[in-house]
Amino acid sequence: MSSLSPFLEAASGQEPRHTPVWFMRQAGRSLPEYRALRGEGSILEAIKTPEIAAEVTLQPVRRYGVDAAILFSDIVVPVAAIGFGIDVIPGRGPVAEHPFTSRSDLTRLRPLEVDQDIPYVIETVRHVAAELNAQDTTLIGFAGAPFTVASYLVEGGPSRTFTKVKALMYQDPELWDDLVAVLADLSISFLRAQINAGAQALQLFDSWAGALSPNEYARFALPATKHVLESVSDLKVPRILFGVGTGELLGQMATSGADVVGVDWRVPLDEATQRIGNHPLQGNLDPALCFAPVDALEDATRDILRRGAKAPGHIFNLGHGVLPETDPDMLKRVVDLVHNEGRTLAKEAQ
Ligand code: CP3
């Protein structure tokens, strides 16, 4: 038996014992045991309590038998920890008290001092890693990509149109470059801290990159993302890059330094692999299908397993995060199907 977990086998292009599966946003949200533990208040407070954060990280592993745990944390943890003034409002997302509007706001973004600013993250990772060590389950650390984090700082909260971000990019491209350079350094420190404490893989979330045209992505987002991914290459852990609505950006994302590319549900994985080339893929079940009849959910899961077989490695996931109202039993069905039928379907399709 190989010493690597199925997740790490697939991420490095080796044949896994079974097709690995985990779900973005599996920690929290739809789990009743999460809601019971979490209570009221900002998620940032729950993240600051290692006993709670570690337990929430492990809950989906116990309930679903997924192949990876993702650390219970958030992409705005570093900016919040250095005092930018940002909170995460339940049901809404990150909101900045005073958004980033001008050059003087750069002074509000100092470097991250890991030991002082986020000791609780280190403690949570250590705790979870020790617990998962005995199993074949991989702990994934994560950070936000500079563009996506910048979008919250500049818009002041979630946005559909990204008008303020785009105005800033075009009005003052040098200030934009300085902003994403600072955010890249924060994400690098954040990722390095998690890997040093025991996380075995990392994911960079560029969730809203799909708001950019290919030219905008090349000019305003990809360089800082590349810098983050290249600055952690020495850690020798698989690096996953993910965004939503990125069908037209997949070719560029493949050049980012990412080992694995995450694909949302809009692009079939066999088509995605033609755009991406020689990289394992992660994805790509539409999270809304967990609300469809079971037959439809299972057919879609099988179709993804067959198409994923065309890539040099496939980690099954949703095409974006678990939706809050999702019935956990539907996710459990997906995990069991992927584990029981994944390799057989993949071999038939190859
Ligand atoms: O994936 C996981 O289960 C691990 C934990 C995790 C959280 N946030 C916890 C969380 C991860 C990986 C994230 C990443 C994150 N945070 C992203 C990228 C992933 C994606 O979905 O695209 C983004 C864009 C954010 C910013 C953010 N934080 C949003 C948009 C929201 C949603 C607001 C809501 O309530 O719908 C949050 C809050 C948040 N982060 C929750 C959780 C479990 C839910 C609310 C809560 O419990 O307070």
Side-chain angles (χ1 to χ4, degrees), residues 163-192:
T163 48
K164 297 190 178 90
V165 180
K166 292 198 180 181
L168 176 65
M169 286 170 171
Y170 285 98
Q171 249 159 34
D172 196 342
E174 281 172 21
L175 176 57
W176 174 262
D177 289 343
D178 291 344
L179 170 59
V180 289
V182 174
L183 295 177
D185 286 340
L186 285 170
S187 288
I188 293 164
S189 304
F190 191 39
L191 290 170
R192 295 191 77 87

Side-chain angles (χ1 to χ4, degrees), residues 94-210:
V95 173
E97 205 179 323
H98 302 290
F100 185 102
T101 56
S102 66
R103 182 158 287 279
S104 63
D105 289 315
L106 281 175
T107 59
R108 297 162 60 200
L109 292 166
R110 63 163 173 82
L112 188 70
E113 303 288 343
V114 167
D115 295 333
Q116 275 123 58
D117 297 328
I118 51 163
Y120 45 88
V121 173
I122 315 292
E123 206 183 316
T124 303
V125 174
R126 286 207 180 113
H127 187 104
V128 175
E131 183 116 6
L132 290 180
N133 223 354
Q135 307 173 28
D136 254 352
T137 313
T138 303
L139 176 60
I140 304 171
F142 72 91
F147 166 74
T148 289
V149 177
S151 79
Y152 286 109
L153 303 193
V154 174
E155 298 287 339
S159 172
R160 277 179 198 282
T161 50
F162 298 92
T163 48
K164 297 190 178 90
V165 180
K166 292 198 180 181
L168 176 65
M169 286 170 171
Y170 285 98
Q171 249 159 34
D172 196 342
E174 281 172 21
L175 176 57
W176 174 262
D177 289 343
D178 291 344
L179 170 59
V180 289
V182 174
L183 295 177
D185 286 340
L186 285 170
S187 288
I188 293 164
S189 304
F190 191 39
L191 290 170
R192 295 191 77 87
Q194 295 171 66
I195 301 299
N196 287 334
Q200 300 150 302
L202 61 87
Q203 178 154 328
L204 196 60
F205 282 96
D206 208 354
S207 301
W208 313 133

